[in-house]
């Protein structure tokens, strides 16, 4: 245990380890410079107390001795440690320095070996983030080899030529400076040999002969690379050694610099400082120099083994049967998504055949490939096997953003963590950055909640613990809903050991829901005071309503017992804000649904019936519809637009609420997608391009509720910046369209102003609401230039941009974090799938016949039980049922009032991001409820929303 702590202390993963490595390198260079200075004197000379370089060099060597001891304690193989290069350097340089100081004799000796520390230059530059590309790493490594060889060889020549041959007592020595030694070495390395400076001693000439041969081999163009590859091949083919009691996971698939960096960042941040799980990467190709440096920086956690998950021999070498799980990373930027998915599915099949009980979590790019995994005989959802489908989640997030402005940003913020230190200029930036600390967390609820209804427990958690409980896992629910209930009605009673889903900042906060005791904490309103209960009768209590929760009034938020977080002064912004709300709905009508009752369906529509023409605008007077801009051709990889349509056709919306969906794109591409879309109602296609303004106006884009610009299917591109060229140009084209408010009827203007703020007051036009998908998050600076907003957060980080905070931009790059989330807590992934995809989950898919579900051409009417689920929506505080809540001066009052009176959960805010003079377009941003006080209420806000349910 002590050795492991020392090893982690010396690794570049910790700040202390990085500082030590950099300090040793800098001091080694300093000691080498002192050697250069002392080389002007004879090799052996008496030291003078006036020479200040001697105590300085002595101090440096004292630190080298300390670092040598730490490395010795951390070494697993003590014998091998003495043969390491750094150990040899210290052995031949540190002791002579102390002896020379004691004898008052300054002997240069082998101090030139300090030049070998230059070989660590690439790793130091990598830690300092001075080099990032593979070419720069190779260049720095070659430069380090040249310099270290140059200085070391020159030091040896300087020593032997000034000392002479020992067997003749140095009579053939010559007085040669260190600079002349460097000159001689360079002439020899270049095979020029001018002859003006030559070696006279036998040792020097013998060294020159061997050095000439060595330099010819060393500095050839391709030999160093071959030597490096050969060394790495032997280095990474050893089997992983399983230690009893030590947990580890195996990661395979797309092992690259970007994927490994993203995975380590997301995996290690879940339990910072408490990671006791080692990560074994199984790569099919040898790591590049840059990737190898990353593994060295994280050597306390990572091990790389060269091999393939398709070979049982390699699976045996990484001991996959003993691993906690096997995670398979996909490449979302690959040229062929189908090939990538089939390769990863074959890896799963190989792993399950070798070890059926090994837990597997896989990333899949296309949703139609998911059906093959549950067919594997040893696949088991109950043991933690899981699928993360990029297309399903990515397009689901975008679809939710089309239904509810800002919703995709709100959901994304629960999985994004920004640690950058930025200078914030606007108040809204501070609150939005603070909201990024919120996460989806789970916790077993206290048994004292047994017998209570969900609204009672949710209200109690909010008032007493400042926790937002949004869902529970209910054991008595139908299996098709996998046990998860979002904001269940009051008829559902909680049982003991119920799992709750919270929106909070840390696991420490949600643990209070488990520690809560009705007897000990009944009068406690300070969350920090809720801790372990000392009540001895706790295990024998079973409450069935004995916990009193006032549901008829919210006046307690004005009372003195309430904490500052819910004070009226700090939460007064809610009179003009919006809240994210969830509410269950029961429907009396029964529309044409699919076999699961989860989605609206219709008879298969012929493609020619849904194709629009530019001249037919008057025939299709679209209003409040969704426009989707598609880029693809007859040879492009399918995006899986079904995943975009399904949330928009969820059965918890009535047929009258369904919005028309108009796709603008290539007809050749849409013909290939149509076989998966033909059974969904109210879908239209306009052959054309979103880069042409005439096609945009042909679909009445000025009257749309949202325009989604979807990124183009995978294409090979020489630059990552150019992968979003079409989406950025389309955003520019749509953003240039300014729609006059006179084109709207009064009722339409009132409705659209709730989303955009236009048509009210001074503005006479509005911008078209748009949601742009970016493949490369760093391209956000192009979108920011189009937004026209001042005071945006500095830098190019997507999640710190104004466009992201207002819900105008989405990027699926954060989906990489779901791999670590699924490993630590698969319940969170299930909840996200239910929220984003319209209600489907992995467990429900087990009970559906996929061929029938996606291939039936007839429409049947099913039971409305599938529609009895909640949904995400948007409600204004004014001109809605929420306006009946009194008082509502604080967020706490709105939360409790909406929950008590209407069964609605208010989750966050969507409001003006700035004052009107700084926000001419009346842009709104997402601000989930956090620990900090929300924004103050703008005095002239007219577009205040809440996220709630239809019909409220």
């Amino acid at each position: 245990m002590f050795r492991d702590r020392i090893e982690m202390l010396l690794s570049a993963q910790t700040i202390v380890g990085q500082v030590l490595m950099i300090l040793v390198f800098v001091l080694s260079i300093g000691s080498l410079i002192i050697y250069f200075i002392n080389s002007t004197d004879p090799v052996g000379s008496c030291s003078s107390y006036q020479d200040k370089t001697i105590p300085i060099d002595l101090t440096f060597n004292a630190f080298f001795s300390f670092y040598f001891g730490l490395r010795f304690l951390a070494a697993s193989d003590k014998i091998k440690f003495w043969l390491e290069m750094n150990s040899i350097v210290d052995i031949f340089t540190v002791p002579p320095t102390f002896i020379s100081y004691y004898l008052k004799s300054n002997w240069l000796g082998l101090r030139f070996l300090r030049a070998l520390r230059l070989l660590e230059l690439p790793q130091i530059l990598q830690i300092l983030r001075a080099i990032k590309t593979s070419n720069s790493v190779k260049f720095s490594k070659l430069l380090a080899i040249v310099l270290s060889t140059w200085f070391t060889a020159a030091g040896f020549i300087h020593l032997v030529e000034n000392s002479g041959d020992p067997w003749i007592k140095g009579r053939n020595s010559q007085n040669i400076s260190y600079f002349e030694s460097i000159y001689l070495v360079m002439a020899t390395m270049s095979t020029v040999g001018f002859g003006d400076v030559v070696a006279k001693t036998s040792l020097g000439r013998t060294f020159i002969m061997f050095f000439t041969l060595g330099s010819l081999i060393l500095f050839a163009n391709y030999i160093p690379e071959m030597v490096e590859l050969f060394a790495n091949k032997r280095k990474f083919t050893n089997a992983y050694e399983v230690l009893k009691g030590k947990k580890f996971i195996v990661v395979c698939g797309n092992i690259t610099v970007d994927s490994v960096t993203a995975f380590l960042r997301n995996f290690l941040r879940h339990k910072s400082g408490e990671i006791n799980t080692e990560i074994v990467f199984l790569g099919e190709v040898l790591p590049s120099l840059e990737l190898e440096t990353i593994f060295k920086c994280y050597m306390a956690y990572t091990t790389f083994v060269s091999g393939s998950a398709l070979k049982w021999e390699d699976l045996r070498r990484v001991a996959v049967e003993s691993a906690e799980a096997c995670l398979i990373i996909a490449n979302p930027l690959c040229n062929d998504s189908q090939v990538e998915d089939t390769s990863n599915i074959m890896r799963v099949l190989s792993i399950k055949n070798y070890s059926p009980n090994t837990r597997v979590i896989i990333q899949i790019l296309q949703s139609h490939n998911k059906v093959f995994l549950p067919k594997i005989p040893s696949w088991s959802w109950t043991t933690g096997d899981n699928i993360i489908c990029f297309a399903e989640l990515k397009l689901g997030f975008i679809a939710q953003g089309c239904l509810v402005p800002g919703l995709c940003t709100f959901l994304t913020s629960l999985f994004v963590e920004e640690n950058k230190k930025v200078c914030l200029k606007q108040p809204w930036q501070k609150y939005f950055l603070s909201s990024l600390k919120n996460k989806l967390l789970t916790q077993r609820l206290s048994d004292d909640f047994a017998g209570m209804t969900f609204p009672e427990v949710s209200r109690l958690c909010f008032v007493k613990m400042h926790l937002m409980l949004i869902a529970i896992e209910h054991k008595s629910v139908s299996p098709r809903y996998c046990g998860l209930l979002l904001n269940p009605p009051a008829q559902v009673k909680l049982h003991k050991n119920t799992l709750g889903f919270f929106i909070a900042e840390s696991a420490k906060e949600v643990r209070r829901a488990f520690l809560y005791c009705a007897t000990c904490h009944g009068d406690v309103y300070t969350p920090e005071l809720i801790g372990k209960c000392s009540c001895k009768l706790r295990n024998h209590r079973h409450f069935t309503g004995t916990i009193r929760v006032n549901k008829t009034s919210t006046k307690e938020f004005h009372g003195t017992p309430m904490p500052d977080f819910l004070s009226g002064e700090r939460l007064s912004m809610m009179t003009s804000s919006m809240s994210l709300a969830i509410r269950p709905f029961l429907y009396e009508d029964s529309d044409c649904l699919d076999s699961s009752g989860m989605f609206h369906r219709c008879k298969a529509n012929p493609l020619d019936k849904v194709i629009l023409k530019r001249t037919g605008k008057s025939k299709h007077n679209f209003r409040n519809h969704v426009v989707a801009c598609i880029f693809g051709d007859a040879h492009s990889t399918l995006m899986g637009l079904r995943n975009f349509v399904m949330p928009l056709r969820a059965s918890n919306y009535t047929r009258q609420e369904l919005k028309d969906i108009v796709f603008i794109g290539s007809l050749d591409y849409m013909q290939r997608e149509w076989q998966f879309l033909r059974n969904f109602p109210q879908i239209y296609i306009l052959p054309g391009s979103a880069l042409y303004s005439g096609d945009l106006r042909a679909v009445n884009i000025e009257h749309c509720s949202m325009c989604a610009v979807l990124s183009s299917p995978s294409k090979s591109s020489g630059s990552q910046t150019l992968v979003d060229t079409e989406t950025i140009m389309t955003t520019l084209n749509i953003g240039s369209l300014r729609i006059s408010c006179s084109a709207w009827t009064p009722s339409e203007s009132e409705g659209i102003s709730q989303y955009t703020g236009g048509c009210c007051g001074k503005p006479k036009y509005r911008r078209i609401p748009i949601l742009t998908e970016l493949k490369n998050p760093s391209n956000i600076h192009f979108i920011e230039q189009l937004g026209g907003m001042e005071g945006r957060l500095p830098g190019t980080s997507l999640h710190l941009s104004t466009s992201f905070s207002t819900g105008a931009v989405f990027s699926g790059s954060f989906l990489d974090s779901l791999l670590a989330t699924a490993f630590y807590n698969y319940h969170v992934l299930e909840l996200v799938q239910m929220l984003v995809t319209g209600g489907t989950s992995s467990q429900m898919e087990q009970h559906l016949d996929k061929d029938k579900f996606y291939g039936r051409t007839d429409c049947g009417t099913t039971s409305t039980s599938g529609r009895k689920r909640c949904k995400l929506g948007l409600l204004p505080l004014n001109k809605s049922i929420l306006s009946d809540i009194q008082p509502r001066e604080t967020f706490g009052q709105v939360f409790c009032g909406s929950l008590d009176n209407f069964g609605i959960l208010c989750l966050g805010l969507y409001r003006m991001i700035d004052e009107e003079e700084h926000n001419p377009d009346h842009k709104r941003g997402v601000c989930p409820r956090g620990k900090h006080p929300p924004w103050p209420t703008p005095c002239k806000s007219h577009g205040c929303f809440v996220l709630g349910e239809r019909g409220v």
Side-chain angles (χ1 to χ4, degrees), residues 628-644:
C629 303
I630 309 299
F631 303 96
D633 51 36
H635 306 288
S636 299
T637 304
L638 293 181
M639 299 170 55
L641 294 178
R642 177 189 62 198
N643 300 290
F644 176 77

Side-chain angles (χ1 to χ4, degrees), residues 595-606:
S595 59
S596 67
M598 304 293 287
F599 302 97
H600 289 277
R601 293 183 67 83
C602 65
K603 294 183 178 181
N605 292 314

Side-chain angles (χ1 to χ4, degrees), residues 679-692:
N679 289 105
F680 293 105
Q682 299 174 232
I683 297 179
Y684 304 92
I685 299 173
L686 177 69
S689 173
L691 297 174
Y692 177 53

Side-chain angles (χ1 to χ4, degrees), residues 274-515:
E274 303 177 6
I275 301 297
N276 58 357
T277 303
E278 189 170 356
I279 307 170
V280 181
F281 289 94
L282 181 61
E284 298 182 1
V285 296
L286 293 176
S288 62
L289 296 178
E290 186 179 3
L291 183 57
E292 187 177 350
T293 305
I294 294 176
F295 289 140
K296 289 181 180 179
C297 293
Y298 291 88
M299 66 178 181
Y301 302 120
T302 63
T303 299
F304 181 86
V305 177
S306 178
S308 173
L310 299 174
K311 299 179 181 179
W312 282 20
E313 178 183 354
D314 294 334
L315 293 177
R316 186 179 298 108
R317 288 195 296 115
V318 297
V320 71
E321 69 278 2
S322 302
E324 293 292 307
C326 183
L327 282 59
I328 302 178
I329 302 178
N331 180 16
L333 299 179
C334 64
N335 294 329
D336 194 334
S337 301
Q338 182 65 25
V339 173
E340 180 74 8
D341 281 348
T342 52
S343 300
N344 288 331
I345 292 174
M346 291 300 295
R347 291 186 177 98
V348 176
L349 187 59
S350 175
I351 294 170
K352 285 295 186 179
N353 287 340
Y354 174 76
S355 177
N357 296 325
T358 298
R359 179 187 177 192
V360 176
I361 303 175
I362 179 177
Q363 291 180 341
I364 287 292
L365 301 181
Q366 295 181 321
S367 58
H368 63 267
N369 291 322
K370 290 174 58 179
V371 298
F372 298 103
L373 292 166
K375 296 178 181 179
I376 298 176
S378 55
W379 182 271
S380 175
W381 300 99
T382 57
T383 59
D385 292 341
N386 222 319
I387 305 171
I388 302 174
C389 180
F390 276 34
E392 181 181 70
L393 294 174
K394 179 186 70 174
L395 295 176
F397 272 98
I398 297 176
Q400 296 295 341
C402 293
L403 289 170
V404 182
L407 181 57
C408 61
T409 295
F410 172 80
L411 295 175
T412 302
S413 65
L414 299 177
F415 299 94
V416 173
E417 184 172 339
E418 287 288 345
N419 297 320
K420 290 186 177 180
K421 294 183 179 180
V422 294
C423 181
L424 306 177
K425 299 181 180 180
Q426 303 297 332
W428 70 268
Q429 296 174 343
K430 178 178 66 174
Y431 295 111
F432 178 73
L433 187 62
S434 176
S435 69
L436 293 180
K437 299 178 181 179
N438 291 327
K439 297 183 284 290
L440 273 177
L441 301 171
T442 60
Q443 177 63 57
R444 295 289 174 182
L445 300 179
S446 170
D447 289 345
D448 285 7
F449 294 139
M452 297 176 61
T453 65
F454 178 85
E456 291 174 340
V457 177
S458 180
R459 192 181 198 278
L460 188 148
C461 290
F462 182 84
V463 173
K464 291 182 175 289
M465 310 173 204
H466 300 173
L467 300 176
M468 187 172 291
L469 178 65
I470 64 173
I472 60 173
E473 184 182 44
H474 203 256
K475 296 180 181 179
S476 62
V477 77
S478 172
R480 72 165 51 196
Y481 298 110
C482 70
L484 298 185
L485 289 180
L486 293 167
N487 188 19
Q491 292 81 0
V492 178
K493 303 291 184 180
L494 270 67
H495 301 298
K496 289 186 177 181
N497 200 33
T498 297
L499 183 67
F501 293 79
F502 297 87
I503 296 179
E505 292 189 7
S506 66
K508 182 180 178 180
E509 294 179 359
V510 299
R511 182 165 173 77
R512 296 166 187 159
F514 172 76
L515 300 175

Side-chain angles (χ1 to χ4, degrees), residues 110-299:
L110 301 178
R111 287 165 56 187
F112 60 84
L113 292 178
R114 280 290 164 195
L116 294 176
R117 281 283 185 179
L118 287 171
L119 294 174
E120 297 180 0
L121 178 63
Q123 186 174 357
I124 299 299
L125 295 178
Q126 187 76 11
I127 294 175
L128 297 176
R129 301 183 184 276
I131 54 176
K132 298 181 179 179
T133 63
S134 179
N135 291 334
S136 60
V137 174
K138 290 181 180 179
F139 176 78
S140 63
K141 188 170 183 178
L142 180 60
L143 179 64
I145 294 175
V146 172
L147 293 178
S148 60
T149 305
W150 184 13
F151 291 144
T152 303
F156 184 83
I157 291 295
H158 179 265
L159 174 64
V160 297
E161 289 299 312
N162 282 275
S163 301
D165 293 325
W167 51 85
I168 59 175
K169 298 181 180 180
R171 288 193 298 269
N172 60 345
S173 64
Q174 63 171 330
N175 188 12
I176 182 175
S177 66
Y178 187 81
F179 177 78
E180 290 175 331
S181 301
I182 294 179
Y183 173 79
L184 174 60
V185 170
M186 286 299 299
T188 304
M189 289 170 55
S190 61
T191 67
V192 176
F194 293 104
D196 50 346
V197 180
V198 295
K200 295 182 178 181
T201 63
S202 299
L203 286 177
R205 292 175 177 178
T206 303
F207 175 79
I208 290 295
M209 288 189 297
F210 288 102
F211 179 75
T212 302
L213 296 176
S215 61
L216 290 175
I217 298 175
L218 182 65
F219 298 102
N221 291 330
Y222 56 91
I223 293 297
E225 226 175 293
M226 294 178 59
V227 173
E228 184 69 20
L229 291 176
F230 177 75
N232 285 343
K233 185 65 177 177
R234 297 185 58 186
K235 180 179 179 180
F236 299 121
T237 54
N238 296 327
Y240 174 74
E241 183 179 358
V242 180
L243 299 179
K244 185 177 181 181
K246 189 171 185 179
K247 300 179 180 179
F248 70 96
I249 63 173
V250 177
V251 180
C252 59
N254 179 44
I255 307 298
T256 62
V257 173
D258 294 334
S259 64
V260 170
T261 302
F263 176 80
L264 290 176
R265 181 177 62 249
N266 296 316
F267 187 86
L268 298 179
R269 76 176 174 86
H270 274 260
K271 295 183 179 180
S272 180
E274 303 177 6
I275 301 297
N276 58 357
T277 303
E278 189 170 356
I279 307 170
V280 181
F281 289 94
L282 181 61
E284 298 182 1
V285 296
L286 293 176
S288 62
L289 296 178
E290 186 179 3
L291 183 57
E292 187 177 350
T293 305
I294 294 176
F295 289 140
K296 289 181 180 179
C297 293
Y298 291 88
M299 66 178 181

Side-chain angles (χ1 to χ4, degrees), residues 771-819:
L771 176 56
T772 303
E773 178 194 358
L774 294 179
K775 280 187 175 181
N776 186 2
S778 62
N779 287 334
I780 182 62
H781 65 277
F782 295 109
I783 304 297
E784 287 287 86
Q785 295 176 9
L786 305 179
M789 282 296 301
E790 297 180 357
R792 58 180 178 268
L793 279 73
T796 58
S797 175
L798 171 73
H799 304 113
L800 295 181
S801 64
T802 305
S803 300
F804 176 76
S805 64
T806 57
V809 170
F810 173 83
S811 177
S813 59
F814 80 97
L815 294 176
D816 293 332
S817 64
L818 294 182
L819 193 62

